[in-house]
Amino acid sequence: MLDSSTILTLVVVVLVVHYVLADRYPRPQNLPPGPRPLPILGNAHQMPLEYAEETFAKWSSQYGDVVFVKVFHRPVLILNSARAVRELMEKRSMKYSGRPPSVLLSELSGWGDVLGVMQMGERLRKQRRWLHSVLFAEGALDKFRAVQRTEVNVLLVSLLRKPDDYAAHLHRLTASLMMESIYGHTVASDEDEYLHYAEAALKGTTEVASPGAAIVDILPFLRHIPSWMPGAGFKREAAEVKVSIEEAHVRPYEMVERAMAAGDDKPSLVRNLIDECAGRGNLAEERRDIMSAGAVSYIAGVDTTKTVLLNFILCAVLFPEAYSKAQEEMGRVVGTARLPDLNDRDTLPYLESFLLEVYRWHCPVPLGVPHAASEDDEFRGWYIPKGCMVIPNLWLLTLDEELYPEPESFRPERFLGLSAEDAERLDPRNIVFGHGRRICPGRRFADVSIWLAVANIVAAFDVRKAQDADGKDITPPLAFVPGSVSHPRPFKCSIAARNVAMELLADLNPCAVYGARPYQLPFFDEVLT
């Protein structure tokens, strides 16, 4: 056996030789501007592991809205303006809809057959059509309204009884909505078997795809090093997570097949796809892709939706005047005899503006999901090499002073009274849900679910700063977790039912849709029947 110093020396030698000889991307003089690279490393030493969006924003003031860097051999293009993002990722979407190859996710972890990491092609277009038909098409969403209403009712009852656990309640809401819409499965307990499979895959993927582990995507040959070798912990972790990911693919799918065989006719994404493919006689060939479409929909939808709702709670606490205006509008338009529903959305413009400002105020996915150039290109006279990773700094786009004056301020009024053209141009949902042919196919389902939860919290609860033992307000810090999805760090707040809503909350019965089946409320001992 070699000692650790010898192994380290060998790795360094291999790195030097491999990337001196295999540097496939020469640096012409007309590449976009960017920080000066070092030999072999490129700009790897300048790429932050946390809050990269802030570093990229600083580079924008020095190099402009298009910044080129090189991480070892990999070219990376950072887009720091809405104009640059539109010109490349939308107007030239044919060239900029690829994905950077990911050894970690595709080969080591088992996500290689999902649309999030899949390259452009018929298989990807097929999966996007599937998701669009169920989670985006206007008529298709109607079949989920009863489920959304019921799950929001459960949220309200949970907030009433255990308001301090608001973050857990919001997570349960988003997880349950995704399980219902994807698999037609009602999550009736925190110990739900199928929720466990999905949550294990979500947690494992988040942990294994940490910035340190992602080095294998920059240096792909590292996938060949033995898993016992020092520094190869990412391989051992990925192998463990792969088991969870496979279970998240297979087990919920098999549950849907059993339910269908037993005569269950609840609508869901997976059920629709099984019926469609069985009708064409090609279910056996499409079975794995249906599993993949279901699994990735859950992983992609839960954390991002929860993050928006957590941001909403934080904004309600920090900006009480705006929250009070939303409550005043709710009382004036909807009244106090019922809770708001989706039919009320168009009649609540200030609430709509409040939610748009939540989307804008802190982008839930700061750097989106990277794209890749599928061929050499020229942009503004610069050379963009084939395979170049393209990162849109969505966080900076939502803080663009030209689009959103005083971007650090929380001002829902900025979205009121706009022309149809300006409303479309300034809508932050056109930023945070992605761009071009990779835009989130479930964005309409997510937005409807978020609005319904937000509207009902506004109607039913006062959300304020918590108080310490001396009766002084506790102001939550503006602190967000770094990573691909950035949500607020845990904070204390006061969530109390409004007097006008107490009777409505007392009458809620989340079991109405579930029939006679008991519903175990999260974090409580009692069973709601």
Side-chain angles (χ1 to χ4, degrees):
M1 295 290 289
L2 300 176
D3 59 42
S4 58
S5 61
T6 304
I7 291 173
L8 180 60
T9 301
L10 288 173
V11 170
V12 171
V13 170
V14 171
L15 275 173
V16 171
V17 173
H18 182 82
Y19 283 98
V20 167
L21 297 179
D23 192 342
R24 295 169 291 170
Y25 300 102
R27 186 179 180 92
Q29 294 302 309
N30 64 334
L31 284 170
R36 186 177 181 84
L38 294 177
I40 301 173
L41 289 178
N43 303 99
H45 62 297
Q46 297 167 302
M47 297 290 282
L49 296 181
E50 295 184 346
Y51 306 109
E53 63 274 10
E54 297 179 14
T55 298
F56 296 165
K58 293 175 183 177
W59 287 350
S60 180
S61 62
Q62 184 175 357
Y63 303 108
D65 63 340
V66 178
V67 180
F68 183 88
V69 296
K70 202 172 185 182
V71 182
F72 294 100
H73 74 292
R74 174 170 288 180
V76 179
L77 195 68
I78 300 161
L79 306 180
N80 281 318
S81 74
R83 178 188 172 198
V85 169
R86 282 195 302 269
E87 289 179 349
L88 290 185
M89 304 181 86
E90 292 183 0
K91 294 182 179 179
R92 305 190 192 187
S93 61
M94 280 287 291
K95 295 181 180 180
Y96 291 92
S97 293
R99 282 281 191 248
S102 174
V103 173
L104 182 66
L105 292 178
S106 298
E107 297 183 24
L108 301 182
S109 298
W111 284 116
D113 56 1
V114 301
L115 60 85
V117 299
M118 198 181 297
Q119 298 301 331
M120 290 299 295
E122 180 51 39
R123 192 179 182 194
L124 179 138
R125 286 189 287 271
K126 173 189 66 181
Q127 289 199 22
R128 286 188 62 86
R129 285 196 303 269
W130 285 352
L131 298 185
H132 184 279
S133 67
V134 176
L135 300 178
F136 185 84
E138 192 73 46
L141 291 181
D142 292 343
K143 65 182 67 174
F144 296 119
R145 284 201 176 189
V147 166
Q148 289 170 317
R149 176 72 261 175
T150 298
E151 296 299 341
V152 168
N153 285 354
V154 174
L155 171 68
L156 298 179
V157 174
S158 301
L159 289 173
L160 175 66
R161 301 190 186 187
K162 288 273 188 172
D164 291 344
D165 291 327
Y166 68 90
H169 301 326
L170 293 177
H171 180 80
R172 185 221 151 272
L173 167 72
T174 56
S176 297
L177 281 173
M178 295 310 296
M179 290 299 289
E180 283 279 7
S181 61
I182 297 168
Y183 300 109
H185 174 64
T186 299
V187 177
S189 165
D190 289 337
E191 304 303 319
D192 184 271
E193 173 187 0
Y194 300 101
L195 185 62
H196 167 75
Y197 295 135
E199 291 294 296
L202 174 60
K203 182 175 183 292
T205 301
T206 301
E207 291 175 351
V208 79
S210 65
I215 187 64
V216 71
D217 288 337
I218 304 299
L219 306 174
F221 74 90
L222 290 177
R223 68 182 180 272
H224 299 302
I225 66 175
S227 58
W228 53 261
M229 193 172 184
F234 67 90
K235 290 195 70 175
R236 296 188 293 273
E237 293 170 4
E240 294 176 3
V241 171
K242 192 171 186 176
V243 175
S244 297
I245 291 172
E246 182 65 13
E247 286 185 328
H249 275 69
V250 175
R251 297 299 181 86
Y253 175 93
E254 292 177 340
M255 177 266 296
V256 176
E257 285 194 327
R258 289 194 298 272
M260 293 176 66
D264 192 330
D265 60 354
K266 287 180 68 175
S268 70
L269 168 68
V270 170
R271 179 192 174 87
N272 285 8
L273 296 179
I274 291 175
D275 281 339
E276 177 184 330
C277 295
R280 292 200 304 262
N282 65 341
L283 178 59
E285 296 85 39
E286 300 285 21
R287 195 169 185 260
R288 184 65 191 187
D289 275 359
I290 297 174
M291 292 181 185
S292 299
V296 76
S297 296
Y298 183 92
I299 297 296
V302 168
D303 211 19
T304 50
T305 303
K306 178 189 70 175
T307 294
V308 176
L309 291 171
L310 288 173
N311 287 343
F312 159 72
I313 296 293
L314 181 59
C315 289
V317 172
L318 294 178
F319 311 109
E321 291 185 6
Y323 190 75
S324 294
K325 288 181 180 179
Q327 288 185 313
E328 184 279 327
E329 180 187 63
M330 182 68 66
R332 175 168 41 83
V333 175
V334 176
T336 59
R338 64 180 179 87
L339 291 168
D341 211 338
L342 291 173
N343 293 332
D344 298 307
R345 187 166 190 174
D346 291 340
T347 67
L348 298 167
Y350 189 85
L351 179 64
E352 188 74 17
S353 297
F354 191 105
L355 179 54
L356 291 177
E357 186 71 339
V358 169
Y359 280 121
R360 184 208 66 81
W361 182 71
H362 184 75
C363 183
V365 187
L367 297 176
V369 182
H371 291 213
S374 59
E375 58 184 83
D376 290 344
D377 195 21
E378 181 179 323
F379 178 57
R380 300 182 187 173
W382 297 315
Y383 167 65
I384 311 297
K386 177 181 178 180
C388 182
M389 179 188 295
V390 182
I391 300 177
N393 191 348
L394 305 185
W395 175 81
L396 186 58
L397 267 59
T398 61
L399 299 176
D400 188 332
E401 292 186 352
E402 293 186 7
L403 293 175
Y404 309 108
E406 300 178 34
E408 301 297 338
S409 300
F410 187 86
R411 292 198 301 108
E413 291 80 5
R414 72 175 79 243
F415 296 108
L416 292 174
L418 298 176
S419 66
E421 181 180 353
D422 284 343
E424 177 67 19
R425 180 174 60 89
L426 297 176
D427 191 334
R429 290 170 297 191
N430 294 332
I431 297 175
V432 301
F433 283 111
H435 297 84
R437 299 177 182 220
R438 291 283 188 170
I439 193 169
C440 173
R443 60 194 182 279
R444 182 174 287 168
F445 176 85
D447 180 62
V448 167
S449 299
I450 289 167
W451 184 91
L452 191 60
V454 164
N456 279 268
I457 292 173
V458 166
F461 294 96
D462 290 322
V463 182
R464 303 190 181 101
K465 293 180 181 178
Q467 293 185 329
D468 61 19
D470 297 325
K472 296 181 180 179
D473 287 344
I474 302 173
T475 300
L478 284 178
F480 296 86
V481 173
S484 57
V485 180
S486 178
H487 54 78
R489 293 192 182 276
F491 62 92
K492 292 184 177 181
C493 66
S494 169
I495 300 178
R498 305 175 70 193
N499 290 335
V500 296
M502 285 300 294
E503 185 175 343
L504 296 175
L505 292 174
D507 290 340
L508 289 182
N509 179 14
C511 287
V513 173
Y514 302 145
R517 295 163 55 187
Y519 191 98
Q520 176 69 52
L521 278 174
F523 312 108
F524 304 113
D525 295 330
E526 66 266 35
V527 175
L528 185 67
T529 57

